[in-house]
Amino acid sequence: MAHYYNIDEIIVEEELVSAVFQKAANGVGILDPSAETNSVEQGSKVELPFWLAHELLQRQAVTIHVPACFNQKTRKEIQADAPCVDLRSRCPYFYELGCKVAPLVGDRTIGSLLLQAFLSRYKEVLSKAHTAASTPVPKVLTLLTKEETNLYETAQSSMAAFKKWRMGGPRFQRASVLGRKRKPTD
Amino acid sequence: MYGRRACQLIKEFSSAEKGQLTGFNSDMFDQVVKECSTHYLELQSLMRKIQEEGMDIQTTRNADHFGMVIHHLSLMRNKRCLMAYVYNRAEIIRNLRWKIGPVLPQEIHEKLSYSEEEYFKNHSTALESYMSELELDLTVDMVPPKDPYIQVRVLDDIGEVLLSDQSANLACHSMHFLKRIDAEQFISQGLMEELTD
């Protein structure tokens, strides 16, 4: 497994998807808050993290629904003005989750939705990253998903590196691990 | 929810800045390990139940089986989170050796767990023995050099130091013209800064 240790991969799979149990399961009552016994009944609807829902789906124990962040409302907003949609509050791993969910639910429109959203937001993210000042943190950052934030930061650091190269300047730097300004919380 | 705590551990790690360490959260780590044992016990009791009912554990697909599957998956998930936590920290710790050198400053040192300290020491020793075999210091010249000498200003009282071509008194705020490879260590430790004209 190539991504076994990948932190982001693990966090994406923690996103909740709603699932309906097709088979009963004993000894796992904690999954269903409305269960009276320590088991989940057939047909009960529960929110499962993606890693669990995915495996159970392969064993035909559950069926899953498309997560709420890909609903009609979001789609309409993306069609209207993609760069202004607050994707972070909907799902910080919008694209990654979409890629994982799409083949499972057999919804062919998710792929084109993701592509359309990314294409129209990509240009905006890059141009903002190249022009905006690094401090204070611009408002646009609060709308971006994790992937887009990475893109934004990469664009900014490449711009900074270009400027530094053009101006000349010290090439050695203090190790960044030592450069913490904030005190650790513990 | 199963696996929630393990994921919190991972999120805590990922919320730190890239390449920075947070303190080893041994409380939460132990809690997740404990969760794993609980899953294991539940798994065993369900297995026993199936066997007592006289059914074949390989082919039975009843409610007990799916309960078992869920506990098994949760256990594997917890394991993956713990492994990823340790693995990604170890990667940062290995990098520390290259960036800061064999001695860690106090504020970083106290973030490591005991076994991570051992790991750092062993990694450091391994690297040193390899470098002495090669007779080459691999940790210098990480930035391709333009000039073998550079102008530096000392930021901290380092004192009298024997360098590769001279011995210099590196007092605070003094300026020197040093060999790059001598200065590099001090700069990455934050004791000197490079001056440019």
Side-chain angles (χ1 to χ4, degrees), chain A residues 3-5 7 9-10 13-14 24-27 30-31 47 51 55 61 171-172 174-178 182, chain B residues 1-2 7 14 17 20 49 63-64 66-67 71 73 77 80 84 88 105 144 180 184 187-188 190 194 196:
Chain A
H3 302 298
Y4 189 78
Y5 296 115
I7 295 283
E9 189 92 4
I10 291 178
E13 297 195 343
E14 189 70 14
N26 279 347
I30 194 176
L31 292 178
E47 296 274 304
W51 55 267
E55 293 282 344
R171 308 201 315 144
F172 280 127
R174 196 176 136 101
S176 60
V177 226
L178 292 168
R182 274 173 290 147
Chain B
M1 182 58 74
Y2 297 139
C7 192
S14 97
E17 277 171 68
Q20 304 279 16
K49 196 173 155 204
D64 293 327
F66 287 106
H71 280 297
L73 291 172
R77 168 77 181 181
R80 181 177 177 191
N88 285 286
R180 270 175 67 99
E184 193 165 344
I187 294 174
S188 69
E194 184 185 357
T196 46

Side-chain angles (χ1 to χ4, degrees), chain B residues 58-93:
Chain B
Q58 302 284 340
T59 54
T60 313
R61 294 285 177 274
N62 59 5
D64 293 327
H65 168 78
F66 287 106
M68 260 168 56
V69 168
I70 291 172
H71 280 297
H72 172 71
L73 291 172
S74 310
L75 184 70
M76 299 301 275
R77 168 77 181 181
N78 279 345
K79 178 184 158 192
R80 181 177 177 191
C81 292
L82 293 177
M83 296 280 276
Y85 187 67
V86 175
Y87 177 87
N88 285 286
R89 284 179 66 92
E91 197 169 78
I92 296 179
I93 292 168

Side-chain angles (χ1 to χ4, degrees), chain B residues 122-180:
Chain B
N122 293 341
H123 182 67
S124 182
T125 325
L127 194 64
E128 266 157 35
S129 73
Y130 179 64
M131 289 192 301
S132 68
E133 221 172 272
L134 285 180
E135 293 178 6
L136 187 66
D137 189 353
L138 295 171
T139 60
V140 295
D141 278 340
M142 297 302 256
V143 184
K146 279 185 178 166
D147 195 319
Y149 285 87
I150 55 171
Q151 185 87 27
V152 293
R153 193 201 335 259
V154 182
L155 299 174
D156 201 353
D157 248 321
I158 303 173
E160 192 79 21
V161 175
L162 191 62
L163 302 168
S164 55
D165 58 342
Q166 57 180 323
S167 107
N169 183 18
L170 305 175
C172 198
H173 304 307
S174 61
M175 297 209 277
H176 299 270
F177 196 58
L178 299 181
K179 261 192 154 169
R180 270 175 67 99

